[in-house]
Amino acid sequence: MFNVFRSWANRLNWKLILKSHLPAIVIFFVMSWAFMGRSLTQCSTTVIGSVGGDHLSGIIALMNNGTRPYGGFSLASSYPFGESLNQPQLATNATLMVPTWLLSKVVGPICSWNIMVLAGYMLSALSMYAFILWLLKRRSVAIFAALAVAFTPYHYYKTHGHLSYIHSELFVLILWSFLALWRRPTRK
């Protein structure tokens, strides 16, 4: 499987792809910067959102769980009683908390949180841009659709503490794969 991906990636003309899509990437980055404000320019000291509240529990869990990326007990949420972070409904959150935890070992917990928020904006925008460009072959419509998906008020509101709500690129990729399979069904 890895060899199939490698041969596919080697066939792509990365310079041409970057050159032709660079304006869209810059637009998405500037919009992300506008949404994130100081939390991007002062990455180590400023977290996106307001002061206090349960939205900081993820960052505090990163600070307190130094040896593991997931689980444990936190007093940062459900105060004054705290809550166990080993609950089954939090299992899907591990897909985002593990990379955030690994990144926090390099740049610190606050900056890693902000980088994951930036990644959520960028990946959501880029996935929708690529999907609509594949579907309609119109760059202007693809840029508009990407901006409409990634920079909704809902995403901005959820950047204050819920990483899993920001990363909507998975939904776009699932829809894209469904339409690709529908257009060209196979027996496999």
Side-chain angles (χ1 to χ4, degrees), residues 43-108:
C43 187
S44 308
T45 58
T46 306
V47 66
I48 191 167
S50 56
V51 178
D54 73 332
H55 72 279
L56 294 176
S57 63
I59 296 171
I60 293 171
L62 285 173
M63 291 175 165
N64 293 338
N65 292 345
T67 58
R68 59 185 174 183
Y70 184 69
F73 188 83
S74 175
L75 289 172
S77 57
S78 299
Y79 185 81
F81 307 108
E83 74 177 316
S84 171
L85 300 177
N86 290 322
Q87 299 173 23
Q89 70 267 24
L90 299 176
T92 56
N93 196 31
T95 58
L96 290 171
M97 287 310 288
V98 170
T100 308
W101 176 77
L102 289 171
L103 197 56
S104 74
K105 298 299 178 191
V106 178
V107 295

Coordinates of all heavy atoms in Angstrom, one line a residue, residues 43-108:
C43 N 2.4 32.8 19.8 CA 1.9 31.4 19.9 C 2.1 30.8 21.3 O 1.3 30.0 21.8 CB 2.6 30.6 18.9 SG 2.0 28.9 18.7
S44 N 3.2 31.2 22.0 CA 3.5 30.5 23.3 C 2.8 31.1 24.5 O 2.7 30.5 25.5 CB 5.0 30.6 23.5 OG 5.7 30.1 22.4
T45 N 2.2 32.3 24.3 CA 1.6 32.9 25.5 C 0.1 33.2 25.4 O -0.5 33.5 26.4 CB 2.3 34.3 25.7 OG1 2.2 35.1 24.6 CG2 3.8 34.1 26.1
T46 N -0.4 33.2 24.2 CA -1.8 33.5 24.0 C -2.6 32.4 23.4 O -2.2 31.8 22.3 CB -1.9 34.7 23.0 OG1 -1.1 35.8 23.6 CG2 -3.4 35.2 22.9
V47 N -3.6 32.0 24.0 CA -4.5 30.9 23.4 C -5.7 31.6 22.9 O -6.2 32.6 23.4 CB -4.9 29.9 24.5 CG1 -5.7 30.5 25.6 CG2 -5.5 28.7 23.9
I48 N -6.2 31.1 21.8 CA -7.4 31.6 21.2 C -8.6 31.4 22.1 O -8.7 30.3 22.7 CB -7.7 31.0 19.8 CG1 -8.7 31.8 19.0 CG2 -8.0 29.6 19.8 CD1 -8.8 31.5 17.6
G49 N -9.4 32.4 22.2 CA -10.6 32.2 23.1 C -10.6 33.2 24.3 O -9.7 34.1 24.3
S50 N -11.5 33.0 25.2 CA -11.6 33.9 26.3 C -10.9 33.3 27.5 O -10.5 32.1 27.5 CB -13.0 34.2 26.6 OG -13.7 32.9 26.9
V51 N -10.7 34.1 28.5 CA -10.0 33.6 29.7 C -10.9 32.8 30.6 O -12.1 33.2 30.8 CB -9.4 34.8 30.5 CG1 -8.8 34.4 31.8 CG2 -8.5 35.6 29.7
G52 N -10.5 31.7 31.1 CA -11.3 30.8 31.9 C -12.2 30.0 31.2 O -12.4 30.1 29.9
G53 N -12.9 29.1 31.9 CA -13.8 28.2 31.2 C -13.3 26.8 30.9 O -12.1 26.6 31.1
D54 N -14.1 25.9 30.5 CA -13.7 24.5 30.3 C -12.9 24.4 29.0 O -12.3 23.3 28.7 CB -14.9 23.6 30.3 CG -15.7 23.7 29.0 OD1 -15.8 24.8 28.5 OD2 -16.3 22.7 28.7
H55 N -12.8 25.4 28.2 CA -12.1 25.3 26.9 C -10.6 25.2 27.2 O -9.8 24.8 26.3 CB -12.4 26.5 26.0 CG -11.8 27.8 26.4 ND1 -12.4 28.6 27.4 CD2 -10.6 28.4 26.1 CE1 -11.6 29.6 27.6 NE2 -10.5 29.6 26.8
L56 N -10.1 25.5 28.3 CA -8.7 25.4 28.7 C -8.4 24.0 29.2 O -7.2 23.7 29.4 CB -8.3 26.5 29.7 CG -8.3 27.9 29.2 CD1 -8.0 28.9 30.3 CD2 -7.4 28.1 28.0
S57 N -9.3 23.2 29.4 CA -9.1 21.9 30.0 C -8.2 21.0 29.1 O -7.3 20.2 29.6 CB -10.4 21.1 30.3 OG -11.1 20.9 29.1
G58 N -8.3 21.1 27.8 CA -7.4 20.4 26.9 C -5.9 20.8 27.1 O -5.0 20.0 27.1
I59 N -5.7 22.1 27.2 CA -4.3 22.6 27.4 C -3.8 22.3 28.7 O -2.6 21.8 28.9 CB -4.3 24.2 27.1 CG1 -4.7 24.5 25.7 CG2 -2.9 24.7 27.5 CD1 -4.9 25.9 25.4
I60 N -4.6 22.4 29.8 CA -4.2 22.0 31.1 C -3.9 20.5 31.2 O -2.9 20.1 31.8 CB -5.3 22.4 32.1 CG1 -5.3 24.0 32.2 CG2 -4.9 21.9 33.5 CD1 -6.4 24.5 33.0
A61 N -4.7 19.7 30.5 CA -4.4 18.3 30.5 C -3.1 18.0 29.8 O -2.4 17.1 30.2 CB -5.6 17.5 29.7
L62 N -2.8 18.8 28.7 CA -1.5 18.6 28.1 C -0.3 19.0 29.0 O 0.7 18.4 29.0 CB -1.4 19.5 26.8 CG -2.1 19.1 25.6 CD1 -2.1 20.2 24.5 CD2 -1.6 17.8 25.1
M63 N -0.6 20.0 29.8 CA 0.5 20.4 30.8 C 0.6 19.4 31.9 O 1.7 19.1 32.3 CB 0.1 21.8 31.4 CG 0.2 22.9 30.5 SD -0.4 24.4 31.3 CE 0.2 25.6 30.2
N64 N -0.5 18.8 32.4 CA -0.4 17.9 33.5 C -0.1 16.5 33.1 O 0.5 15.7 33.9 CB -1.8 17.9 34.3 CG -2.0 19.3 34.9 OD1 -1.0 20.0 35.2 ND2 -3.2 19.6 35.2
N65 N -0.5 16.0 32.0 CA -0.2 14.6 31.5 C 1.1 14.6 30.7 O 1.1 14.4 29.5 CB -1.4 14.1 30.7 CG -2.6 13.9 31.5 OD1 -2.5 13.9 32.7 ND2 -3.7 13.7 30.9
G66 N 2.2 14.9 31.3 CA 3.4 15.0 30.6 C 3.9 13.7 30.0 O 4.6 13.7 29.0
T67 N 3.5 12.6 30.6 CA 4.1 11.3 30.1 C 3.1 10.6 29.1 O 3.6 9.6 28.5 CB 4.4 10.4 31.3 OG1 3.2 10.2 32.0 CG2 5.4 11.0 32.2
R68 N 1.9 11.0 29.0 CA 1.0 10.3 28.1 C 0.1 11.3 27.4 O -0.3 12.4 28.0 CB 0.2 9.3 28.9 CG -0.6 9.9 30.0 CD -1.3 8.9 30.8 NE -1.9 9.6 31.9 CZ -2.6 9.0 32.9 NH1 -2.7 7.7 32.8 NH2 -3.1 9.6 33.8
P69 N -0.3 11.0 26.2 CA -1.1 12.0 25.5 C -2.6 12.0 25.8 O -3.3 12.8 25.4 CB -0.9 11.6 24.0 CG -0.6 10.1 24.1 CD 0.1 9.9 25.4
Y70 N -3.1 11.0 26.5 CA -4.5 10.8 26.6 C -4.8 10.1 27.9 O -4.1 9.3 28.4 CB -5.0 9.9 25.4 CG -6.5 9.7 25.4 CD1 -7.3 10.7 25.0 CD2 -7.0 8.5 25.7 CE1 -8.7 10.6 25.0 CE2 -8.4 8.3 25.6 CZ -9.2 9.3 25.3 OH -10.6 9.2 25.2
G71 N -6.0 10.4 28.4 CA -6.4 9.8 29.7 C -6.1 10.6 30.9 O -5.6 11.7 30.8
G72 N -6.3 9.9 32.0 CA -6.0 10.6 33.3 C -7.2 11.2 33.9 O -8.4 10.9 33.6
F73 N -7.0 12.1 34.8 CA -8.0 12.8 35.6 C -7.7 14.3 35.5 O -6.6 14.7 35.7 CB -8.1 12.3 37.0 CG -9.3 12.8 37.8 CD1 -10.5 12.2 37.7 CD2 -9.2 14.0 38.6 CE1 -11.6 12.7 38.3 CE2 -10.3 14.5 39.2 CZ -11.5 13.8 39.1
S74 N -8.7 15.1 35.3 CA -8.5 16.6 35.2 C -9.5 17.3 36.1 O -10.7 17.0 36.1 CB -8.7 17.0 33.8 OG -8.6 18.4 33.7
L75 N -9.0 18.2 36.9 CA -9.8 19.2 37.7 C -10.2 20.4 36.8 O -10.9 21.3 37.3 CB -9.1 19.6 38.9 CG -9.0 18.5 40.0 CD1 -8.1 18.9 41.1 CD2 -10.4 18.1 40.5
A76 N -9.6 20.5 35.6 CA -9.8 21.7 34.8 C -11.2 21.7 34.2 O -11.7 22.8 33.8 CB -8.8 21.7 33.7
S77 N -11.9 20.6 34.1 CA -13.2 20.6 33.6 C -14.1 20.0 34.7 O -13.7 19.2 35.5 CB -13.4 19.9 32.3 OG -12.9 18.6 32.4
S78 N -15.4 20.3 34.7 CA -16.4 19.8 35.6 C -16.0 20.2 37.1 O -16.1 19.5 38.0 CB -16.6 18.3 35.5 OG -17.1 18.0 34.3
Y79 N -15.5 21.4 37.2 CA -15.1 21.9 38.5 C -16.3 22.1 39.4 O -17.3 22.4 39.0 CB -14.4 23.3 38.3 CG -13.8 23.9 39.6 CD1 -12.6 23.4 40.0 CD2 -14.5 24.8 40.4 CE1 -12.1 23.9 41.2 CE2 -14.0 25.2 41.6 CZ -12.8 24.8 42.0 OH -12.3 25.3 43.1
P80 N -16.2 21.8 40.7 CA -15.0 21.5 41.5 C -14.7 20.0 41.6 O -13.8 19.6 42.3 CB -15.5 22.0 42.9 CG -17.0 21.8 42.9 CD -17.4 22.0 41.5
F81 N -15.5 19.1 40.9 CA -15.3 17.7 41.1 C -14.3 17.1 40.2 O -13.8 16.0 40.5 CB -16.7 17.0 41.0 CG -17.8 17.6 41.8 CD1 -18.8 18.3 41.3 CD2 -17.7 17.4 43.2 CE1 -19.8 18.9 42.1 CE2 -18.7 17.9 44.0 CZ -19.7 18.7 43.5
G82 N -14.1 17.7 39.0 CA -13.2 17.1 38.0 C -13.9 16.0 37.3 O -15.0 15.7 37.5
E83 N -13.1 15.4 36.3 CA -13.7 14.3 35.5 C -12.5 13.5 35.0 O -11.4 13.9 34.8 CB -14.5 14.8 34.4 CG -13.8 15.4 33.2 CD -14.7 15.8 32.1 OE1 -15.6 15.1 31.7 OE2 -14.5 16.9 31.5
S84 N -12.9 12.2 34.8 CA -12.0 11.2 34.2 C -11.9 11.5 32.7 O -12.9 11.7 32.1 CB -12.5 9.8 34.5 OG -11.7 8.9 33.8
L85 N -10.7 11.5 32.2 CA -10.5 11.6 30.8 C -10.4 10.3 30.1 O -9.9 10.2 28.9 CB -9.2 12.5 30.6 CG -9.3 13.9 31.1 CD1 -8.0 14.6 30.9 CD2 -10.4 14.7 30.6
N86 N -10.7 9.2 30.8 CA -10.7 7.9 30.2 C -12.1 7.4 29.7 O -12.4 6.2 29.6 CB -10.1 6.9 31.2 CG -8.7 7.1 31.4 OD1 -7.9 7.4 30.5 ND2 -8.2 6.9 32.6
Q87 N -13.0 8.3 29.5 CA -14.4 8.0 29.1 C -14.4 7.5 27.7 O -13.7 8.0 26.8 CB -15.3 9.2 29.3 CG -15.3 9.7 30.8 CD -16.1 10.9 30.9 OE1 -16.9 11.3 30.1 NE2 -15.8 11.7 32.0
P88 N -15.3 6.5 27.4 CA -15.3 6.0 26.0 C -15.7 7.0 24.9 O -15.2 6.9 23.8 CB -16.3 4.9 26.1 CG -17.0 5.0 27.4 CD -16.2 5.9 28.3
Q89 N -16.5 8.0 25.3 CA -16.9 9.0 24.3 C -15.7 9.9 23.9 O -15.8 10.7 22.9 CB -18.1 9.8 24.7 CG -17.8 10.8 25.8 CD -18.1 10.2 27.2 OE1 -18.1 9.0 27.4 NE2 -18.4 11.0 28.2
L90 N -14.6 9.9 24.7 CA -13.5 10.7 24.3 C -12.5 10.0 23.5 O -11.4 10.5 23.2 CB -12.8 11.2 25.6 CG -13.7 12.1 26.6 CD1 -13.0 12.4 27.8 CD2 -14.1 13.3 25.9
A91 N -12.8 8.8 23.1 CA -11.8 8.0 22.3 C -11.5 8.6 20.9 O -10.3 8.6 20.5 CB -12.3 6.6 22.1
T92 N -12.5 9.2 20.3 CA -12.2 9.9 19.0 C -11.3 11.1 19.2 O -10.7 11.5 18.2 CB -13.5 10.2 18.3 OG1 -14.3 11.1 19.2 CG2 -14.3 9.0 17.9
N93 N -11.3 11.7 20.3 CA -10.5 12.9 20.6 C -9.0 12.5 20.6 O -8.2 13.4 20.4 CB -10.9 13.5 21.9 CG -10.4 14.9 22.0 OD1 -10.2 15.6 21.0 ND2 -10.1 15.3 23.2
A94 N -8.7 11.2 20.8 CA -7.3 10.8 20.8 C -6.6 11.0 19.5 O -5.4 11.3 19.4 CB -7.2 9.4 21.2
T95 N -7.4 11.0 18.4 CA -6.8 11.2 17.0 C -6.2 12.6 16.9 O -5.3 12.8 16.1 CB -7.8 11.0 15.9 OG1 -8.9 11.8 16.1 CG2 -8.3 9.5 15.9
L96 N -6.8 13.6 17.6 CA -6.2 14.9 17.6 C -5.3 15.2 18.8 O -4.4 16.0 18.7 CB -7.4 16.0 17.6 CG -8.2 16.0 16.3 CD1 -9.4 16.9 16.5 CD2 -7.3 16.5 15.2
M97 N -5.6 14.6 19.9 CA -4.8 14.9 21.1 C -3.4 14.3 21.0 O -2.4 14.8 21.6 CB -5.5 14.4 22.4 CG -6.7 15.3 22.8 SD -6.3 17.0 22.8 CE -5.3 17.2 24.3
V98 N -3.2 13.1 20.4 CA -1.9 12.5 20.2 C -1.0 13.4 19.5 O 0.2 13.7 19.9 CB -2.0 11.1 19.7 CG1 -0.6 10.6 19.3 CG2 -2.7 10.2 20.6
P99 N -1.3 13.9 18.3 CA -0.4 14.9 17.6 C -0.2 16.2 18.4 O 0.9 16.7 18.3 CB -1.1 15.2 16.2 CG -2.2 14.2 16.1 CD -2.5 13.6 17.4
T100 N -1.3 16.6 19.0 CA -1.1 17.9 19.8 C -0.2 17.6 21.0 O 0.7 18.5 21.3 CB -2.5 18.3 20.4 OG1 -3.4 18.4 19.3 CG2 -2.4 19.6 21.1
W101 N -0.2 16.5 21.6 CA 0.7 16.1 22.7 C 2.1 16.0 22.2 O 3.0 16.6 22.8 CB 0.2 14.8 23.4 CG 1.1 14.3 24.4 CD1 1.2 14.8 25.7 CD2 2.1 13.3 24.3 NE1 2.2 14.1 26.4 CE2 2.7 13.1 25.5 CE3 2.4 12.4 23.3 CZ2 3.7 12.2 25.8 CZ3 3.4 11.5 23.5 CH2 4.0 11.4 24.8
L102 N 2.3 15.4 21.0 CA 3.6 15.3 20.5 C 4.2 16.6 20.1 O 5.4 16.9 20.4 CB 3.6 14.4 19.2 CG 3.4 12.9 19.5 CD1 3.2 12.2 18.2 CD2 4.6 12.3 20.3
L103 N 3.4 17.5 19.5 CA 3.8 18.8 19.2 C 4.1 19.7 20.5 O 5.0 20.5 20.5 CB 2.7 19.5 18.4 CG 3.0 20.7 17.6 CD1 4.2 20.5 16.6 CD2 1.8 21.2 16.8
S104 N 3.4 19.4 21.5 CA 3.6 20.1 22.8 C 5.0 19.8 23.4 O 5.5 20.6 24.1 CB 2.5 19.9 23.8 OG 2.6 18.6 24.4
K105 N 5.5 18.7 23.0 CA 6.9 18.4 23.5 C 7.9 19.2 22.8 O 9.0 19.4 23.4 CB 7.2 16.9 23.3 CG 6.3 15.9 24.0 CD 6.4 16.2 25.5 CE 5.5 15.3 26.3 NZ 5.4 15.7 27.7
V106 N 7.6 19.8 21.7 CA 8.5 20.6 20.9 C 8.3 22.1 21.1 O 9.3 22.8 21.4 CB 8.4 20.3 19.4 CG1 9.4 21.1 18.6 CG2 8.7 18.8 19.1
V107 N 7.1 22.5 21.1 CA 6.8 24.0 21.1 C 6.0 24.4 22.4 O 5.8 25.6 22.5 CB 6.1 24.4 19.9 CG1 6.9 24.3 18.6 CG2 4.7 23.7 19.7
G108 N 5.6 23.5 23.2 CA 4.9 23.8 24.4 C 3.4 23.6 24.2 O 2.9 23.6 23.0

